[in-house]
Amino acid sequence: MGLREKIDADIKDALKSGAKDKVSALRMVSAALKNKEIDKRRPLTDEEVIETVRALIKQRKDSIEQFAKGGRQDLVDKETAEVALLEVYLPKQLGREEVEALVRDAVAQTGAQGPRDMGKVMKALVPMIGGRADNKLVSELVKSALG
């Protein structure tokens, strides 16, 4: 079962169980996926579904930040719940130690000497990580390894 089918099945389960917030969030994901399928004029691959879910999570996190600044705790809670729901569809994230080990390997592979070589290291590292870690964290770890 592909990721798209799993999301559709989860919508049906949420409808049966009466979980209105979950249904709302999953329908939003489904609509975003459908729009992307229309744009591409073909069914999405699992990688494209993951990419779309990541974009939706990023939007939610930006909204959480703005709502927190505006003092809207009710909306912060709603968006936080949606982020938690969406993260279920992402691959298992790597821990900090695992990312550090990959950074050391990439630095050794590329022969990077200093901060100027960050681009080389990132180019080698991104395929190894495959979206299983936050790029901000990866960037920070590469900077500290090269600096």
Side-chain angles (χ1 to χ4, degrees):
M1 176 188 294
L3 200 49
R4 176 84 163 122
E5 292 81 21
K6 180 172 176 22
I7 291 170
D8 290 340
D10 288 350
I11 290 173
K12 289 177 188 172
D13 292 343
L15 281 167
K16 288 178 185 174
S17 68
K20 291 180 184 175
D21 293 339
K22 188 173 183 179
V23 170
S24 170
L26 289 175
R27 280 187 172 159
M28 174 263 315
V29 172
S30 183
L33 293 173
K34 186 69 174 169
N35 287 338
K36 196 157 191 172
E37 283 178 347
I38 290 169
D39 290 345
K40 298 222 180 238
R41 296 179 182 188
R42 62 173 170 75
L44 299 177
T45 64
D46 276 353
E47 190 57 41
E48 291 169 329
V49 171
I50 290 170
E51 184 181 306
T52 304
V53 171
R54 268 202 191 94
L56 293 172
I57 289 174
K58 186 177 187 311
Q59 289 173 355
R60 297 294 166 286
K61 288 183 177 179
D62 291 344
S63 296
I64 289 169
E65 193 176 303
Q66 294 301 316
F67 290 144
K69 285 180 186 174
R72 292 294 307 267
Q73 190 58 41
D74 57 328
L75 295 175
V76 169
D77 295 341
K78 179 182 180 288
E79 297 289 321
T80 303
E82 284 185 9
V83 167
L85 183 81
L86 295 176
E87 285 177 339
V88 170
Y89 300 104
L90 295 180
K92 182 183 175 295
Q93 297 293 295
L94 296 173
R96 186 177 182 95
E97 298 79 27
E98 294 168 308
V99 175
E100 287 172 347
L102 288 172
V103 167
R104 284 191 298 274
D105 291 346
V107 169
Q109 277 179 1
T110 59
Q113 299 298 319
R116 287 191 338 232
D117 296 329
M118 186 171 173
K120 281 190 216 174
V121 176
M122 290 299 286
K123 188 175 181 179
L125 196 57
V126 168
M128 293 189 326
I129 290 178
R132 296 176 294 150
D134 181 38
N135 286 339
K136 188 175 181 182
L137 170 67
V138 174
S139 177
E140 288 172 11
L141 293 174
V142 170
K143 281 180 187 173
S144 68
L146 295 176

